[in-house]
Amino acid sequence: MLGWMDDEALHRTLTTGRCTYWSRSREEYWVKGDTSGHVQYVKSVALDCDADVVLVKVDQVGAACHTGERTCFDADVLMADGPLEDAVSDVPSPGQ
């Protein structure tokens, strides 16, 4: 899933071992699973090279997505000319 974390949410995530996010719409922190029971237990945390994206790997209990699915990223991406796989296969590799 994708969620927003500010410094405080990241701090809470790191100190509790449970994913805490900032809800922009409700303007409050929320811990994944506190109301749904679909808990995320932190396995590892990594920053990207610019330190502006956090990747949190978790042990997911129940659904991650608000739709009830295990993941929020299960839809195939289609390009105007066909599946993404076709478009990607036409992209030259670096150095070509």
Side-chain angles (χ1 to χ4, degrees):
M1 63 171 270
L2 178 69
W4 292 96
M5 283 188 185
D6 61 6
D7 289 342
E8 179 61 23
L10 180 58
H11 173 75
R12 292 180 187 195
T13 297
L14 295 173
T15 57
T16 65
R18 300 249 329 263
C19 286
T20 301
Y21 300 98
W22 171 252
S23 171
R24 296 177 300 156
S25 59
R26 295 188 313 261
E27 295 188 348
E28 65 183 15
Y29 294 100
W30 60 279
V31 178
K32 178 70 173 170
D34 273 0
T35 57
S36 68
H38 300 168
V39 179
Q40 293 176 333
Y41 295 106
V42 177
K43 291 174 60 175
S44 66
V45 179
L47 291 175
D48 76 331
C49 58
D50 296 323
D52 60 0
V53 176
V54 179
L55 176 65
V56 182
K57 293 184 181 180
V58 301
D59 280 327
Q60 179 70 48
V61 176
C65 187
H66 71 281
T67 64
E69 296 297 323
R70 182 146 180 82
T71 176
C72 297
F73 297 93
D74 61 353
D76 292 330
V77 176
L78 297 177
M79 304 288 286
D81 294 338
L84 180 61
E85 295 85 27
D86 295 342
V88 172
S89 67
D90 294 334
V91 175
S93 298
Q96 284 186 331

